[in-house]
Amino acid sequence: MAQKHRSKGVHLGRNSNQRKALFKGLLNSLILHEEVKTTPTKAKAIQRLFDKLVTKARPATVHARRLLHAFLGDKTSVNKLVDELNRRFGKRTSGFTRVTKLGLRKGDNAPIVKLEIVDKSAPETKTTKESAPKPKKSK
């Protein structure tokens, strides 16, 4: 019989170590690439964790960085979360991610969604004198 009490959270058919590794990998990908394609159940689980991580990164102290590194295990994603994403979210208190339905996966017909960070930064384009269009001279 399935246990009804003390069964909080989603298990995803994995034991706790496999689940932690899955979440860690998805969170690192979400932070570094600012979007990840996955199933809706995994996206909902990651969304909750990402909100908690952003809240933990708010103070931008060494202590916050160490806590995040202990959870994520990747220094580059911790730095990006604290330095870049933290600034971008500003006074936003929650709702840092957006879920968009993409359709069904070809191999097993599983529903796929795109989980992306709400305030995505646009790729910066630097215009130089050579690449900028030159105005045409009129006669």
Side-chain angles (χ1 to χ4, degrees), residues 53 56-57 61-73 78:
L53 289 179
K56 207 174 271 190
T61 59
V62 175
H63 179 63
R65 287 177 191 268
R66 287 180 179 160
L67 288 174
L68 291 169
H69 188 271
F71 186 79
L72 293 172
V78 169

Side-chain angles (χ1 to χ4, degrees), residues 15-27:
N15 64 35
S16 61
N17 291 331
Q18 292 169 342
R19 203 167 42 252
K20 285 176 190 174
L22 172 76
F23 290 163
K24 183 191 281 192
L26 284 171
L27 284 167

Side-chain angles (χ1 to χ4, degrees), residues 69-124:
H69 188 271
F71 186 79
L72 293 172
D74 186 18
K75 193 184 281 189
T76 56
S77 59
V78 169
N79 288 337
K80 182 172 181 179
L81 182 63
V82 173
D83 297 333
E84 186 181 328
L85 297 179
N86 204 5
R87 227 178 313 121
R88 211 184 309 163
F89 290 133
K91 296 189 186 245
R92 185 186 289 261
T93 56
S94 64
F96 305 111
T97 55
R98 168 189 314 128
V99 177
T100 310
K101 291 181 182 179
L102 294 178
L104 301 174
R105 187 162 48 200
K106 202 168 193 173
D108 59 353
N109 213 27
I112 294 295
V113 298
K114 180 167 75 169
L115 179 68
E116 59 185 340
I117 294 176
V118 173
D119 298 325
K120 275 182 132 178
S121 63
E124 295 178 15

